């Protein structure tokens, strides 16, 4: 079965004004769809049909398949990291945030600094590694699931297509808006079980 575009977990206008329906029409409907189509085409060309998306990412050593399949997975995970409801980290996660960063405000600052400082296209990540929370960023379509030991908890899309309609070139305003209003901390906490990888997988 070819991979498909997962539907958004909310209405396209639900994240406005922080992320507009127009942004989602392009970002989900055009960009994410293009990664689905390109991945399916590359898999067919390489004769790799029948593997799960995670297996494709982990076995693809070379571009363009690794980056396209990574982009398909990363976006499928990213949409679930956002919510129209204001949420806050539930207790087990909040304790870990306090332990590893000092406070939620400190985590926000560090994540914003990494996201804003990342050069070029890519993704900022909150991961669980060796039992501790850690912030990092990866380039282009790279993804923690291609690297052993990193369990993905939360990601922020840093490609210009994520913010150019709503914020033009102002990545800092986009990042601050996501952190202030849109993060689905219930989903982030769910991923502490180590199964975040499966929540954006496709068979
Ligand atoms: Mn994107």
């Amino acid at each position: 079965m070819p991979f498909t575009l997962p539907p958004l977990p909310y209405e396209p206008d639900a994240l406005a004004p922080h992320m507009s329906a127009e942004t989602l029409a392009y970002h989900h409907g055009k960009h994410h769809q293009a990664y689905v189509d390109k991945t399916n085409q590359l898999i067919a060309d390489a004769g790799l049909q029948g593997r799960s998306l995670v297996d494709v990412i982990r076995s693809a050593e070379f571009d363009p398949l690794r980056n396209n399949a990574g982009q398909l997975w990363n976006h499928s995970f990213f949409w679930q990291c956002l919510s129209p409801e204001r949420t806050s980290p539930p207790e087990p996660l909040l304790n870990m945030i306090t332990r590893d960063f000092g406070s939620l405000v400190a985590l926000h600052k560090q994540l914003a600094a990494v996201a804003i400082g990342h050069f070029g296209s890519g993704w900022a990540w909150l991961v669980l590694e060796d039992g501790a929370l850690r912030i990092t960023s990866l380039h282009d379509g790279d993804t923690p699931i291609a690297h052993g030991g990193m369990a993905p908890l939360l990601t922020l899309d840093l490609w210009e297509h994520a913010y150019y309609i709503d914020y033009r070139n102002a990545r800092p305003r986009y990042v601050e808006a996501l952190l202030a209003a849109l993060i689905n901390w219930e989903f982030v906490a769910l991923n502490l079980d180590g199964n975040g990888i499966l929540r954006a997988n496709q068979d």
Side-chain angles (χ1 to χ4, degrees):
M1 284 264 292
F3 296 134
T4 56
L5 180 68
L8 289 173
Y10 28 73
E11 293 300 315
D13 60 356
L15 304 183
H18 312 290
M19 189 179 286
S20 66
E22 186 184 5
T23 284
L24 284 166
Y26 278 88
H27 196 178
H28 177 256
K30 306 284 187 193
H31 289 280
H32 195 178
Q33 180 71 60
Y35 294 122
V36 174
D37 295 342
K38 189 69 179 173
T39 298
N40 283 331
Q41 180 204 317
L42 291 166
I43 284 172
D45 292 348
L48 292 173
Q49 296 98 328
R51 300 187 189 201
S52 74
L53 179 56
V54 169
D55 284 346
V56 167
I57 292 167
R58 287 179 168 166
S59 60
E61 293 177 22
F62 303 105
D63 283 333
L65 179 54
R66 187 171 162 133
N67 267 319
N68 275 280
Q71 285 291 81
L72 168 49
W73 189 94
N74 285 351
H75 284 93
S76 304
F77 190 77
F78 175 58
W79 304 127
Q80 299 177 74
C81 291
L82 307 180
S83 170
E85 315 289 336
R86 295 292 177 108
T87 68
S88 54
E91 200 49 55
L93 175 60
L94 187 59
N95 289 342
M96 294 174 74
I97 289 171
T98 305
R99 183 194 68 191
D100 295 339
F101 297 97
S103 68
L104 181 60
V105 171
L107 179 153
H108 275 199
K109 275 189 183 166
Q110 192 175 328
L111 185 52
V114 167
I116 293 164
H118 179 90
F119 185 82
S121 296
W123 301 77
W125 296 92
L126 177 68
V127 299
L128 183 65
E129 192 169 25
D130 296 327
L133 302 177
R134 192 166 77 81
I135 288 169
T136 189
S137 68
L138 297 170
H139 281 278
D140 301 323
D142 199 5
T143 174
I145 69 179
H147 303 269
M150 281 194 246
L153 303 180
L154 165 67
T155 192
L156 305 181
D157 189 336
L158 305 178
W159 288 59
E160 279 190 349
H161 66 226
Y163 54 88
Y164 213 84
I165 291 172
D166 295 328
Y167 301 93
R168 296 304 173 190
N169 59 317
R171 187 192 289 180
R173 287 182 52 223
Y174 156 77
V175 168
E176 297 293 350
L178 287 191
L179 290 174
L182 293 183
I183 302 301
N184 185 345
W185 289 105
E186 302 283 342
F187 179 71
V188 178
L190 198 61
N191 294 324
L192 288 173
D193 66 1
N195 290 328
I197 286 171
L198 302 177
R199 296 192 171 99
N201 191 26
Q202 296 187 36
D203 289 323

